[in-house]
Amino acid sequence: MSVAIVTGASRGLGRALAGELAARGWDLVLSARGAAALEEAAAGLERGEGVRAVAVAGDVSSAAHRAALVAAARGLGGLDLLVNNAGVLGAEPLVPLAVQPAAGLREAFEVNVLGPLGLVQEALPLLRASSAGAVLNISSDAAVVPYATWGAYGATKAAVDLMSAVLAVEEPELRVWWADPGSMRTRMMAAAEPGEDLAGLPAPEEVAPALLRLHALDLPSGRYTAEGLAGSPTGGGTRR
């Protein structure tokens, strides 16, 4: 049985990815800050899909929490896929860099960059031991396009993109993907730009299957977009 860790799994894209993996028979370790919502998500997956889903509430910026996630995966038999999805905006709603709070930027780097790196470091022994170890880091269009007010969040995602590319070079036996899911109808998007009409955006459940084509097709390490993955037999994207 394959095992995945999914962070930010109580709602939004994380929960959608966890649901899609569970439907494919994966056992899961789920992480999020809110214990009640996370436990509800895990229980629902166990009832609905018959898989094992372990809820470990906490913040990915905490070394103790990251260690607990990897320990839970070890208890399920190992780790085949690490999904670094948890993230914060740095300010809600988003603001120009001229008034970006230093505390918010610091939190965004702690959660969006240092958290995923620390979890990769903690998980590497299990990922290396897997016959198909892989890391999926959730990126953003804001990592490569200079959108007004998205500077702080985009800077964290640009850092994750480069970190992912270096990891792919340093760990050639692993698959390392950094993927932009595109704009979605999520609570985070609503918090980022509360005046925007999100009705025309896809739900996370519509995006998750495209992102998981990375694993299903065993695509090479590289940067991908959900749009490219959905529309191309080989996934599109920039591959190394």
Side-chain angles (χ1 to χ4, degrees):
M1 186 74 72
S2 298
V3 177
I5 293 174
V6 182
T7 67
S10 63
R11 57 184 172 88
L13 180 60
R15 185 163 182 168
L17 287 167
E20 189 68 23
L21 286 166
R24 301 178 187 196
W26 285 65
D27 288 332
L28 300 166
V29 177
L30 306 181
S31 164
R33 289 175 170 177
L38 186 66
E39 288 169 4
E40 178 188 350
L45 292 175
E46 288 191 328
R47 287 194 307 269
E49 304 296 343
V51 299
R52 296 176 293 175
V54 180
V56 184
D59 193 316
V60 294
S61 65
S62 161
H65 177 61
R66 297 192 297 265
L69 292 175
V70 174
R74 187 177 293 109
L76 292 177
L79 182 63
D80 305 288
L81 174 63
L82 169 60
V83 181
N84 281 311
N85 165 74
V88 297
L89 292 167
E92 295 184 12
L94 295 176
V95 295
L97 289 175
V99 292
Q100 170 66 44
L105 180 60
R106 189 174 297 110
E107 182 193 20
F109 270 93
E110 288 281 350
V111 173
N112 300 359
V113 182
L114 297 180
L117 175 57
L119 192 47
V120 165
Q121 291 171 334
E122 189 77 31
L124 269 177
L126 291 184
L127 290 169
R128 288 167 175 160
S130 169
S131 61
V135 177
L136 170 57
N137 290 325
I138 300 302
S139 183
S140 168
D141 195 29
V144 295
V145 179
Y147 297 117
T149 74
W150 286 84
Y153 179 78
T156 68
K157 291 303 184 179
V160 168
D161 279 11
L162 183 56
M163 183 176 71
S164 302
V166 172
L167 182 65
V169 172
E170 294 176 343
E171 299 288 337
E173 298 305 312
L174 302 182
R175 286 287 188 257
V176 183
W177 305 299
W178 48 113
D180 168 18
S183 297
M184 295 174 289
R185 199 166 61 247
T186 63
R187 190 183 304 178
M188 175 179 272
M189 190 65 182
E193 298 182 339
E196 292 295 310
D197 181 6
L198 307 184
L201 297 180
E205 292 76 14
E206 299 174 70
V207 175
L211 293 180
L212 290 180
R213 292 190 74 197
L214 290 163
H215 189 276
L217 299 177
D218 191 27
L219 294 180
S221 296
R223 190 180 200 278
Y224 295 82
T225 67
E227 182 179 15
L229 288 163
S232 167
T234 58
T238 303
R239 303 183 294 277
R240 82 173 166 85

